[in-house]
Amino acid sequence: MEGNAQNISRTNNDLKNHANLPLLSFITITNGIQSTVHKAPAAPSLTTLGALQSDSLKEALAKATQRQMTLLGSNLAMLDVFEPTNANLNKTYSEWVNLLQGQNLELVLGAYPGLFDPKSKLDSEGLRSFTALLKDKIKLLSISTTPSKLNAKNSSAQSKKTLEYLTKNLNYQGLIMVDDMSELRKYKPGKSEALAMMAGCNLIVSANIDIAIKQTKKLIRKGDIPLSYIETSTKKVLALKHNILTTTEQSGNYLRIKEELNDPFYNRLVQRIYQESMT
């Protein structure tokens, strides 16, 4: 979800009150929530956190991030995928993931595969850490709709080769989601989403959902998508929602959300992190 903080908080609260099942609401937090939430306070980058020696300040930032998510009513924190060739950034990334999970935040890895190149000489420690992250920490991964070095011809979300590399070579067993395929012009609306499901995506977020369901049903009837795969995907989605239901709860007054997000404590914390990371 993206936009004004008050609208995000109010929408999440309204949808939660009218839904029979927990909703999946995303906020990107790779460099803080400001990339998603308009006029939100800035946050230190992973590079800054890597230069920071104080574990207590890192933990305080993780707690503050969790509070921001709670105020907004969002239950999934999205981190962009990283390139496992940079040992220092890789270590910082893993530490930050652990701190966020210590605050009961459910994490999403976004924009896979990004710059990931299976032909490059990957740092062995970084690759081990990356696969461990996928196996133990990440239950939902968002795949990019653009081509990648894994498959330069097709959208990553429609590339069986790209998705099989993720599940077989990197041993990822969680949910695979694709969001907003409207920019893909190769196929008619709904067809792109159905092909993404056929390639191996479990969860499709689309403005053309009704047409996408019809197109997916056609592929099921043809035998291109096994019904068992749809059942497995549904169970994975419900399991994630059940876990979220038991760990997250929205609080705060959405009418004062902007003031609460920009509280003086958070701004002082960020300023101190910047200062100590430079020493």
Side-chain angles (χ1 to χ4, degrees):
M1 189 172 291
E2 181 176 353
N4 175 278
Q6 184 174 329
N7 290 339
I8 291 174
S9 181
R10 179 168 49 196
T11 300
N12 278 330
N13 189 58
D14 289 346
L15 290 173
K16 177 183 175 183
N17 290 335
H18 291 87
N20 294 322
L21 289 173
L23 300 171
L24 303 180
S25 177
F26 304 83
I27 291 290
T28 300
I29 63 164
T30 301
N31 292 310
I33 64 172
Q34 76 269 20
S35 61
T36 302
V37 183
H38 298 169
K39 297 183 179 180
S45 66
L46 286 175
T47 303
T48 300
L49 291 180
L52 181 67
Q53 299 299 313
S54 172
D55 292 337
S56 62
L57 286 179
K58 293 178 184 178
E59 185 173 358
L61 183 63
K63 288 181 179 179
T65 302
Q66 188 274 339
R67 179 177 179 273
Q68 291 175 330
M69 295 285 295
T70 302
L71 287 170
L72 291 165
S74 295
N75 47 32
L76 290 167
M78 182 174 286
L79 293 166
D80 289 341
V81 70
F82 71 104
E83 179 68 23
T85 55
N86 186 321
N88 291 330
L89 184 58
N90 168 47
K91 182 175 181 292
T92 303
Y93 192 100
S94 297
E95 289 175 349
W96 184 231
V97 165
N98 289 332
L99 285 170
L100 291 172
Q101 289 202 314
Q103 302 302 319
N104 289 325
L105 277 177
E106 198 70 57
L107 302 180
V108 182
L109 196 63
Y112 174 87
L115 299 175
F116 195 95
D117 184 359
K119 296 180 181 179
S120 66
K121 188 177 181 180
L122 296 175
D123 172 73
S124 58
E125 182 180 348
L127 187 57
R128 282 196 301 271
S129 179
F130 185 63
T131 53
L133 177 74
L134 291 176
K135 180 181 179 182
D136 301 324
K137 306 292 184 182
I138 304 297
K139 298 184 179 68
L140 177 58
L141 180 146
S142 177
I143 191 163
S144 171
T145 57
T146 60
S148 72
K149 293 181 180 179
L150 287 163
N151 187 336
K153 295 183 179 180
N154 299 317
S155 161
S156 296
Q158 297 169 332
S159 169
K160 190 171 184 179
K161 178 181 178 181
T162 301
L163 292 169
E164 284 186 345
Y165 188 89
L166 175 65
T167 56
K168 294 181 179 180
N169 295 66
L170 300 179
N171 198 31
Y172 177 69
Q173 302 302 316
L175 273 168
I176 302 172
M177 178 194 79
V178 61
D179 183 16
D180 189 12
M181 305 186 75
S182 60
E183 294 184 2
L184 298 179
R185 306 297 184 187
K186 187 175 181 180
Y187 302 101
K188 293 181 179 180
K191 182 70 172 180
S192 292
E193 290 84 347
L195 291 176
M197 184 70 75
M198 186 172 72
C201 292
N202 307 113
L203 180 61
I204 309 293
V205 180
S206 172
N208 305 304
I209 194 63
D210 291 337
I211 304 174
I213 290 174
K214 291 179 181 179
Q215 293 291 337
T216 301
K217 285 181 176 179
K218 287 182 180 180
L219 294 179
I220 293 173
R221 287 193 293 268
K222 289 174 61 179
D224 293 331
I225 301 178
L227 186 59
S228 59
Y229 181 75
I230 301 297
E231 293 172 348
T232 299
S233 297
T234 302
K235 288 178 181 178
K236 286 183 177 182
V237 172
L238 292 176
L240 178 61
K241 288 192 172 191
H242 174 76
N243 187 55
I244 287 173
L245 179 64
T246 58
T247 58
T248 61
E249 181 179 352
Q250 182 175 2
S251 64
N253 183 351
Y254 70 81
L255 295 175
R256 296 189 65 254
I257 187 70
K258 183 179 178 181
E259 291 80 5
E260 292 195 52
L261 288 175
N262 287 278
D263 71 284
F265 170 79
Y266 180 82
N267 292 326
R268 288 195 300 269
L269 171 63
V270 170
Q271 186 62 34
R272 188 177 172 189
I273 288 174
Y274 281 129
Q275 289 173 346
E276 295 204 15
S277 66
M278 293 187 290
T279 60

